[in-house]
């Protein structure tokens, strides 16, 4: 399934501008893995776009943690112009890239850019939290706890070690993950996590994540 199959030509053009801007800035700062730049469309754009269909219909705001090269935050902002997006990025140079890329893309609703550490940024109060290639799951849940609403949905890209991360995170958090197979990597998943709580008393209970 191609998550970009039904998007408008205008949206595709905006995403192409994102890749062009990324390629130019990558020469000066490391925004993505250098060995992934040639295949940036699939490795980064399509990979990011697949989370859009997982955003709940009732969501009114989204916060992307550690936005870096704009994935998935700027991709979501391009595909969901109705949804207010906040990009949280502590690195000033990466934040400068996010600002320029967003301007060049001509986004209908420019995202809010917060240049602070995730744990120091003002609480975003977001209905959806996203993060890609950022940190282990238990750390992501700790950071997300500051920026989510009570019934928020977390959507995290994870690689082939996702189950071990789930098991480790369950030592600290009580949550029920839904692991959705990635369309770009057969070993990867999108972890969808609804409301969760701290669970220091659940160290011996580690149920399996679900994959479909």
């Amino acid at each position: 399934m191609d998550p970009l199959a039904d998007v408008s030509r205008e949206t595709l053009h905006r995403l192409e501008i994102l890749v062009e801007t990324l390629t130019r800035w990558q020469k000066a700062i490391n925004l993505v893995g250098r060995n992934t730049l040639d295949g940036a469309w699939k490795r980064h754009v399509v990979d990011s776009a697949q989370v859009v269909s997982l955003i709940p219909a009732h969501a009114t705001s989204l916060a992307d943690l550690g936005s870096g090269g704009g994935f998935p935050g700027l991709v979501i902002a391009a595909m969901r112009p109705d949804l207010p997006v906040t990009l949280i990025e502590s690195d000033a140079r990466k934040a400068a890239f996010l600002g320029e890329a967003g301007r060049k893309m001509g986004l209908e609703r420019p995202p809010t850019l917060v240049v602070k550490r995730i744990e120091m940024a003002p609480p975003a109060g977001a209905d959806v939290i996203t993060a890609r290639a950022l940190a282990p799951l238990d750390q992501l849940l700790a950071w997300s706890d500051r920026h989510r609403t009570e019934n928020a949905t977390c959507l995290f890209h994870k690689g082939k070690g996702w189950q071990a991360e789930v098991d480790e995170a369950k030592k600290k958090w009580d949550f029920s993950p839904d692991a959705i197979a990635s369309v770009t990597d057969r070993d990867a998943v999108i972890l969808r996590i609804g409301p969760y709580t701290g669970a220091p008393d659940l160290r011996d209970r580690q149920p399996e994540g679900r994959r479909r």
Side-chain angles (χ1 to χ4, degrees), residues 44 47 65-66 71-72 130-136 140 156-159:
H44 301 299
D47 190 46
L65 308 183
F71 306 111
T130 56
R132 180 175 180 266
L134 182 62
L140 290 178
F156 300 140
H157 287 76
K158 284 296 170 186

Side-chain angles (χ1 to χ4, degrees), residues 154-170:
C154 296
L155 300 171
F156 300 140
H157 287 76
K158 284 296 170 186
K160 61 182 179 180
W162 66 271
Q163 184 64 67
E165 289 195 37
V166 167
D167 293 343
E168 186 64 25
K170 282 183 174 292

Side-chain angles (χ1 to χ4, degrees), residues 44-161:
H44 301 299
V45 176
V46 176
D47 190 46
S48 296
Q50 65 181 314
V51 305
V52 172
S53 65
L54 303 178
I55 296 173
H58 67 268
T60 60
S61 59
L62 181 146
D64 184 44
L65 308 183
S67 299
F71 306 111
L74 285 179
V75 175
I76 295 170
M79 295 179 66
R80 285 290 307 271
D82 60 305
L83 185 66
V85 172
T86 297
L87 309 178
I88 303 177
E89 174 56 58
S90 63
D91 187 301
R93 295 185 304 166
K94 292 180 180 179
F97 161 77
L98 292 168
E100 179 174 320
R103 288 190 296 272
K104 287 183 174 295
M105 292 167 73
L107 296 171
E108 295 179 43
R109 184 192 290 268
T112 299
L113 181 56
V114 178
V115 190
K116 289 183 178 293
R117 293 178 63 87
I118 296 167
E119 65 272 25
M120 300 297 292
D127 294 325
V128 181
I129 306 291
T130 56
R132 180 175 180 266
L134 182 62
L137 181 59
D138 61 343
Q139 180 63 75
L140 290 178
L141 293 174
W143 283 336
S144 298
D145 196 38
R146 177 179 179 83
H147 296 287
R148 63 181 177 136
T149 56
E150 183 178 357
N151 295 312
T153 297
C154 296
L155 300 171
F156 300 140
H157 287 76
K158 284 296 170 186
K160 61 182 179 180

